[in-house]
PDB file of all heavy atoms in Angstrom:
ATOM      1  N   ALA Y   5     -55.245  52.737  74.232  1.00 35.00           N
ATOM      2  CA  ALA Y   5     -55.855  53.885  73.585  1.00 35.00           C
ATOM      3  C   ALA Y   5     -55.635  53.851  72.081  1.00 35.00           C
ATOM      4  O   ALA Y   5     -56.392  54.480  71.341  1.00 35.00           O
ATOM      5  CB  ALA Y   5     -55.261  55.186  74.158  1.00 35.00           C
ATOM      6  N   GLU Y  48     -47.211  61.056  72.092  1.00 56.00           N
ATOM      7  CA  GLU Y  48     -47.379  60.261  73.299  1.00 56.00           C
ATOM      8  C   GLU Y  48     -47.453  58.764  73.021  1.00 56.00           C
ATOM      9  O   GLU Y  48     -47.241  57.953  73.897  1.00 56.00           O
ATOM     10  CB  GLU Y  48     -48.663  60.701  74.036  1.00 56.00           C
ATOM     11  CG  GLU Y  48     -48.596  62.106  74.623  1.00 56.00           C
ATOM     12  CD  GLU Y  48     -49.865  62.433  75.392  1.00 56.00           C
ATOM     13  OE1 GLU Y  48     -50.779  61.584  75.397  1.00 56.00           O
ATOM     14  OE2 GLU Y  48     -49.923  63.539  75.967  1.00 56.00           O
ATOM     15  N   VAL Y 103     -45.091  41.587  52.032  1.00 98.00           N
ATOM     16  CA  VAL Y 103     -46.052  41.720  53.109  1.00 98.00           C
ATOM     17  C   VAL Y 103     -45.614  42.846  54.009  1.00 98.00           C
ATOM     18  O   VAL Y 103     -44.410  43.077  54.207  1.00 98.00           O
ATOM     19  CB  VAL Y 103     -46.183  40.390  53.898  1.00 98.00           C
ATOM     20  CG1 VAL Y 103     -44.869  39.983  54.536  1.00 98.00           C
ATOM     21  CG2 VAL Y 103     -47.261  40.489  54.964  1.00 98.00           C
ATOM     22  N   ALA Y 123     -51.063  47.467  45.143  1.00 96.00           N
ATOM     23  CA  ALA Y 123     -49.771  46.983  44.643  1.00 96.00           C
ATOM     24  C   ALA Y 123     -49.597  45.486  44.916  1.00 96.00           C
ATOM     25  O   ALA Y 123     -48.491  44.965  44.769  1.00 96.00           O
ATOM     26  CB  ALA Y 123     -48.644  47.754  45.322  1.00 96.00           C
ATOM     27  N   ALA Y 149     -54.308  40.643  63.239  1.00 96.00           N
ATOM     28  CA  ALA Y 149     -54.096  39.656  64.282  1.00 96.00           C
ATOM     29  C   ALA Y 149     -54.655  40.131  65.610  1.00 96.00           C
ATOM     30  O   ALA Y 149     -54.474  39.470  66.635  1.00 96.00           O
ATOM     31  CB  ALA Y 149     -52.595  39.361  64.439  1.00 96.00           C
ATOM     32  N   ALA Y 167     -70.140  38.447  87.200  1.00 93.00           N
ATOM     33  CA  ALA Y 167     -70.317  39.176  88.450  1.00 93.00           C
ATOM     34  C   ALA Y 167     -71.757  39.117  88.943  1.00 93.00           C
ATOM     35  O   ALA Y 167     -72.095  39.715  89.971  1.00 93.00           O
ATOM     36  CB  ALA Y 167     -69.903  40.643  88.260  1.00 93.00           C
ATOM     37  N   VAL Y 232     -62.278  59.861  81.470  1.00 95.00           N
ATOM     38  CA  VAL Y 232     -62.432  58.663  82.290  1.00 95.00           C
ATOM     39  C   VAL Y 232     -62.110  58.956  83.745  1.00 95.00           C
ATOM     40  O   VAL Y 232     -62.841  58.495  84.638  1.00 95.00           O
ATOM     41  CB  VAL Y 232     -61.535  57.525  81.751  1.00 95.00           C
ATOM     42  CG1 VAL Y 232     -61.593  56.324  82.672  1.00 95.00           C
ATOM     43  CG2 VAL Y 232     -61.960  57.130  80.342  1.00 95.00           C
ATOM     44  N   GLU Y 241     -67.589  59.113  94.265  1.00 96.00           N
ATOM     45  CA  GLU Y 241     -68.309  60.096  95.099  1.00 96.00           C
ATOM     46  C   GLU Y 241     -69.764  59.679  95.299  1.00 96.00           C
ATOM     47  O   GLU Y 241     -70.356  59.995  96.342  1.00 96.00           O
ATOM     48  CB  GLU Y 241     -68.239  61.479  94.456  1.00 96.00           C
ATOM     49  CG  GLU Y 241     -66.878  62.128  94.505  1.00 96.00           C
ATOM     50  CD  GLU Y 241     -66.832  63.399  93.670  1.00 96.00           C
ATOM     51  OE1 GLU Y 241     -67.858  63.767  93.072  1.00 96.00           O
ATOM     52  OE2 GLU Y 241     -65.737  64.024  93.605  1.00 96.00           O
ATOM     53  N   ASP Y 306     -46.502  37.091  65.721  1.00 98.00           N
ATOM     54  CA  ASP Y 306     -47.341  36.098  65.051  1.00 98.00           C
ATOM     55  C   ASP Y 306     -47.655  36.493  63.611  1.00 98.00           C
ATOM     56  O   ASP Y 306     -47.737  35.651  62.723  1.00 98.00           O
ATOM     57  CB  ASP Y 306     -48.647  35.925  65.823  1.00 98.00           C
ATOM     58  CG  ASP Y 306     -48.465  35.188  67.144  1.00 98.00           C
ATOM     59  OD1 ASP Y 306     -47.401  34.537  67.303  1.00 98.00           O
ATOM     60  OD2 ASP Y 306     -49.355  35.262  68.000  1.00 98.00           O
TER      61      ASP Y 306
END
Side-chain angles (χ1 to χ4, degrees):
E48 292 183 358
V103 61
V232 175
E241 289 171 1
D306 289 342

